[in-house]
Amino acid sequence: QHQDQDQHQHQDQDQHQHQDQDQDQGQDEDAEDDQDNSSLAQVQDENDTYGDDDNTGLGVAQVSQAVGADTDNEDAFVQIRSHKSALRRNREPQKERLVALLRAKATQLRSQALATLAEQASEDPFAKIKTLIQDLIENLLKQAQDDAEHHGWCNTEMGKAEQKRNYQAEHLKEVTQSIHKLEARKGKLEAKKDKLTDEVAELGFSLGNATETREEEKQNNEAAVTEAKEGKEAVRDAIETLKRYYAKAQNRAKELVQVAAPDDAPPSGGKGAYKGSDESVGIIGMLEVIEDDFDRTETETAEAEKTQAADFAEFKRTTNKSLTAKNLALTQAGADLSSTTTKLADEVASLKQHQQLMDAAVVELEKLRPTCVGPTQGESAEDRRQSREEEIGALKEALCILNDPNASCDSA
């Protein structure tokens, strides 16, 4: 029941609209009759635009014949008015079909332009409708051209901005990797420099201790050799003194004409030649043993000094060689560390610069995005192009209906 009521309401509205349109058309007819008396030319213009209509029962040729046959202009104008009224009545279904098409396409395509045109088509005369459609098609084609130019400009500008962004992003990646490598190298060089510094210090300390110890050893050895020599000389002197003493004693004994045993014979002056008392032999023998000890001490100390001096010389040579190498390595490590630190600082500065350039490229892209891409949920350029083509197709179909009411006029 509600649907029937709605249908009746729509029918009543359509009837009112048709009545209003008939009233407007009646007013248009009166205005047209008052404009100019050359009605034959007007009829000719309408038939040139829309073609002769067989259903009217009266064509331009027939009107011309009527006017030519009848010298009374009033009869000719009556026939002309009748012909024009017939044209209007015959075009009402054509107009309704056109309006229905435009409304359907407006709903289907969600086109405000087609909806507005449908409203205008339901009210304006035929000739004006055709002009409106042609103007709208031209506007859509102009929009398509402008959109294409804008799309090309956007592609160029966004391509440049994206290229800048990608270029800076690639450089950021490279610089970041370089910084990581330089930081790792710097850490290794610092550790190497610290280690070499400790090793050089340790070698220097060891060489210093060894040198000090060697000086003490040398002094002790020299003192021992000197003492052994002096002791040996003193013992020799004592032995010679005893030998002379015992020789004199033997000579005195001979002078006293004492008969001495063979063992008591005075010494002949050679070592061990004296054959005196057991006491003299024991003392001299003991002194000779002491002399041998001093002599052995001197020899052994001299040999020890020679060995110790050679060992120290070798230790000093190898230590100095190691110190030279480590000092060179330490100097090189310091130079490498300084160079690496400088490069690292340069790369950090380069990183900041590339980051700023990349940020600028991103800002440029964001500025272009609303103009070239639109909102993230908005209509894309391809969607606009397709919608425009569909609107143009609908308008061409409307023109087809205007030009030939009997044609199928399928825009597909």
Side-chain angles (χ1 to χ4, degrees), residues 357-377:
L357 292 173
M358 181 177 175
D359 293 341
V362 171
V363 170
E364 185 178 356
L365 269 176
E366 292 302 318
K367 288 182 179 179
L368 289 171
R369 195 174 300 279
T371 303
C372 296
V373 180
T376 55
Q377 303 298 328

Side-chain angles (χ1 to χ4, degrees), residues 122-163:
S122 65
E123 299 174 359
D124 295 333
F126 248 57
K128 186 175 182 181
I129 295 171
K130 187 174 183 180
T131 301
L132 290 173
I133 293 175
Q134 290 173 341
D135 290 344
L136 186 54
I137 290 176
E138 291 178 1
N139 289 335
L140 289 174
L141 292 175
K142 180 65 169 57
Q143 289 178 11
Q145 181 180 357
D146 294 342
D147 201 10
E149 293 176 357
H150 180 69
H151 184 66
W153 177 83
C154 283
N155 285 342
T156 300
E157 295 303 317
M158 290 195 69
K160 291 179 181 178
E162 288 176 351
Q163 186 177 11

Side-chain angles (χ1 to χ4, degrees), residues 6 30 109 149 151 228 239 254 318:
D6 292 337
D30 295 338
L109 303 178
E149 293 176 357
H151 184 66
I239 291 174
K254 287 180 180 180
T318 55

Side-chain angles (χ1 to χ4, degrees), residues 2 13 19 43 49 70 81 87 89 119 126-127 130 158 181 186 191 247-248 267 278 294 308 335 365 390 392:
H2 289 296
Q13 292 175 357
Q19 290 174 0
V43 175
T49 303
D70 188 357
R81 185 180 292 110
L87 283 175
R89 287 192 301 270
E119 294 302 321
F126 248 57
K130 187 174 183 180
M158 290 195 69
K181 291 180 180 179
K186 180 182 178 183
K248 289 179 181 182
D278 294 337
F294 280 127
Q308 291 171 356
L365 269 176
E390 291 175 350
I392 292 174

Side-chain angles (χ1 to χ4, degrees), residues 95-260:
K95 193 173 185 180
E96 292 177 357
R97 178 184 174 192
L98 173 65
V99 172
L101 169 69
L102 292 174
R103 286 176 175 170
K105 290 296 184 179
T107 302
Q108 177 185 351
L109 303 178
R110 297 180 179 178
S111 172
Q112 183 61 38
L114 292 181
T116 302
L117 182 61
E119 294 302 321
Q120 291 176 333
S122 65
E123 299 174 359
D124 295 333
F126 248 57
K128 186 175 182 181
I129 295 171
K130 187 174 183 180
T131 301
L132 290 173
I133 293 175
Q134 290 173 341
D135 290 344
L136 186 54
I137 290 176
E138 291 178 1
N139 289 335
L140 289 174
L141 292 175
K142 180 65 169 57
Q143 289 178 11
Q145 181 180 357
D146 294 342
D147 201 10
E149 293 176 357
H150 180 69
H151 184 66
W153 177 83
C154 283
N155 285 342
T156 300
E157 295 303 317
M158 290 195 69
K160 291 179 181 178
E162 288 176 351
Q163 186 177 11
K164 291 178 183 178
R165 179 198 62 188
N166 296 338
Y167 176 80
Q168 298 302 332
E170 185 64 26
H171 272 271
L172 278 175
K173 180 180 178 181
E174 293 176 358
V175 172
T176 301
Q177 292 176 349
S178 177
I179 288 176
H180 289 164
K181 291 180 180 179
L182 288 172
E183 287 177 342
R185 176 173 172 77
K186 180 182 178 183
K188 290 181 179 179
L189 288 172
E190 288 176 341
K192 181 179 181 180
K193 183 179 178 181
D194 292 341
K195 181 181 179 182
L196 287 171
T197 301
D198 293 341
E199 290 177 349
V200 167
E202 183 178 354
L203 285 173
F205 180 76
S206 297
L207 182 60
N209 285 340
T211 302
E212 184 178 351
T213 300
R214 175 69 196 118
E215 289 296 329
E216 292 178 357
E217 289 177 347
K218 183 178 180 181
Q219 290 176 3
N220 292 335
N221 289 333
E222 288 176 351
V225 169
T226 300
E227 183 180 355
K229 286 182 178 181
E230 291 176 352
K232 185 172 64 173
E233 291 297 327
V235 170
R236 283 180 181 177
D237 290 343
I239 291 174
E240 290 297 327
T241 299
L242 287 175
K243 285 181 179 179
R244 286 194 300 271
Y245 171 77
Y246 286 120
K248 289 179 181 182
Q250 186 178 8
N251 290 331
R252 285 196 302 271
K254 287 180 180 180
E255 290 175 358
L256 295 174
V257 190
Q258 294 178 352
V259 179

Side-chain angles (χ1 to χ4, degrees), residues 15 39 103 123 138 161 214 231 245 312 319 336 347 353 360:
Q15 288 175 0
S39 300
R103 286 176 175 170
E123 299 174 359
E138 291 178 1
R214 175 69 196 118
Y245 171 77
F312 173 75
T319 301
D336 292 343
E347 289 293 82
Q353 181 181 7

